Amino acid sequence: MTKQRLQPAEPSRGETLDADEVVFLICVEANPLEVQAHLLCASLRRFGGRYKDAPIVAVSPRPALALSPTSQAALEALGVTYVSMPLNETGSPYGTINRIVTGAWAEANLPQPYLVVLDTDMIFTAEPCFLRADVGVRPVDMKGSATGGEGDPLDDYWTRLCGFAGIAPSTLPPLETAIDRIAIRASYNGGFMVVRRDLGVLRRTRDIFFASLEENMRPLAGSGVNVFASTGLVGVEASEWWGSSQAALSIAIWSLTLDVRLYDNRYNIPAHLLRDRSWPLPAGYEPVLLHHHYPLEREYHDPLLGTMRKLACSQAVLEWTQAQLAGLTLR
């Protein structure tokens, strides 16, 4: 089995994607996601370096939650292309289906050869470096809905998903979770990925997930958990599906390619989990992409800024973020 390759700290010129090869893709709706999306897009335009002017496409896949004209105009002022269309008609409370169907649509319809798929609850704090690989990802933060292999209570669930893709569970290489450091079969965070569009990873992710939806395969069924996400508590029913999109993604990847790059600790930093934890960064490098997971109400501003200070974000980034947060309008 070919293992995932770690992103080099200093990739060669040929390994780095040019700005005109990528498009950034996000989902946004008329709920807390819209202010998060504005902050994310503004941070890319301010700190994205070579990628600061790359195209961004924001999709509302449930037209009933399309953005207001004011919110659309705010994104368009940042050079964001806004699209609203009925991609998610499941009626499911599991909102992550939005990202699944939007990714599949983008693979089929956007012209750029690489998609950078992002959750809205993120902030760029330095110039990223995206690699010329079939897929680039980060490990999941916590074990959650992942499996450690044979004997794990969730292994039957993963085995069934692998069956939808026509692969054995052993195809998934070993991986260590980013926070709790548990050995698992490969499971990647769905909120940050770089994929080669013509490979079809996101369309296969959709197919695997919807096969599981048809069979009502909830990895956390009966757990009683109520996940607190960046939109607040998601509810028990949605929580029972938590992690299923990442399972479908990980299996889709390994059913199609062996060319998988693991981005290092500068990317997809789980800021909400770092109040009482350290986060090692490559020596001499600053954080690039924070996945803050915080709702952006006022009470969460100080925890976010405190974590950014802990990560040694530059003073310019801190001052910019503080000013942006102070100017947010929750609609």
Side-chain angles (χ1 to χ4, degrees):
M1 171 60 60
T2 300
K3 294 184 178 180
Q4 307 113 129
R5 292 181 293 161
L6 187 66
Q7 178 202 33
E10 290 289 351
S12 66
R13 176 174 294 182
E15 287 188 296
T16 303
L17 295 175
D18 296 327
D20 61 3
E21 295 180 277
V22 306
V23 56
F24 292 87
L25 181 69
I26 62 174
C27 292
V28 61
E29 294 185 317
N31 54 34
L33 296 180
E34 58 187 312
V35 291
Q36 296 171 17
H38 190 275
L39 181 63
L40 168 61
C41 295
S43 72
L44 176 63
R45 297 304 188 216
R46 175 64 178 83
F47 300 111
R50 79 192 80 179
Y51 302 105
K52 70 180 181 64
D53 296 319
I56 306 172
V57 176
V59 180
S60 295
R62 295 183 287 192
L65 292 172
L67 300 187
S68 68
T70 301
S71 293
Q72 291 182 42
L75 286 177
E76 288 165 0
L78 291 169
V80 177
T81 299
Y82 176 70
V83 178
S84 176
M85 64 179 67
L87 298 174
N88 179 4
E89 299 181 296
T90 63
S92 171
Y94 182 47
T96 310
I97 294 174
N98 286 344
R99 186 177 65 218
I100 295 171
V101 296
T102 296
W105 169 84
E107 274 191 341
N109 291 280
L110 298 183
Q112 290 81 5
Y114 290 87
L115 302 173
V116 181
V117 183
L118 302 172
D119 276 353
T120 57
D121 53 346
M122 293 181 137
I123 302 175
F124 281 96
T125 56
E127 179 182 15
C129 180
F130 299 127
L131 297 180
R132 193 175 305 283
D134 283 349
V135 179
V137 283
R138 283 284 298 158
V140 292
D141 297 325
M142 312 287 279
K143 180 180 181 294
S145 298
T147 177
E150 292 183 12
D152 190 290
L154 284 163
D155 204 50
D156 286 346
Y157 167 79
W158 279 76
T159 298
R160 180 60 177 151
L161 287 185
C162 285
F164 295 143
I167 63 172
S170 58
T171 304
L172 304 173
L175 187 68
E176 188 175 73
T177 58
I179 288 288
D180 51 6
R181 317 299 293 180
I182 293 176
I184 58 172
R185 297 192 196 273
S187 182
Y188 306 114
N189 192 294
F192 165 69
M193 64 186 100
V194 185
V195 297
R196 181 165 64 83
R197 187 177 59 81
D198 63 5
L199 190 63
V201 165
L202 303 182
R203 281 169 283 184
R204 182 158 293 185
T205 299
R206 176 200 57 199
D207 294 344
I208 294 169
F209 176 80
F210 274 86
S212 75
L213 186 66
E214 182 70 20
E215 295 188 7
N216 197 27
M217 293 173 56
R218 310 180 187 196
L220 301 182
S223 65
V225 68
N226 191 357
V227 171
F228 187 80
S230 64
T231 54
L233 291 169
V234 303
V236 173
E237 183 180 351
S239 297
E240 290 185 339
W241 289 97
W242 217 252
S244 57
S245 68
Q246 299 181 153
L249 169 68
S250 305
I251 291 166
I253 289 170
W254 286 98
S255 73
L256 290 171
T257 184
L258 300 178
D259 185 18
V260 180
R261 291 293 189 108
L262 287 179
Y263 282 73
D264 62 40
N265 278 0
R266 292 172 291 170
Y267 295 83
N268 200 62
I269 299 171
H272 65 306
L273 297 175
L274 300 184
R275 292 190 192 185
D276 302 314
R277 293 182 174 94
S278 61
W279 186 256
L281 292 168
Y285 291 91
E286 58 187 323
V288 170
L289 181 63
L290 272 63
H291 200 160
H292 55 79
H293 294 273
Y294 290 116
L296 291 180
E297 284 87 351
R298 179 64 185 83
E299 64 185 287
Y300 297 101
H301 293 185
D302 288 344
L304 173 57
L305 291 166
T307 300
M308 293 176 72
R309 293 186 186 96
K310 184 176 181 178
L311 291 166
C313 290
S314 72
Q315 189 63 30
V317 169
L318 286 166
E319 291 175 357
W320 180 89
T321 304
Q322 188 167 18
Q324 291 290 313
L325 291 172
L328 286 178
T329 301
L330 293 173
R331 298 188 237 283

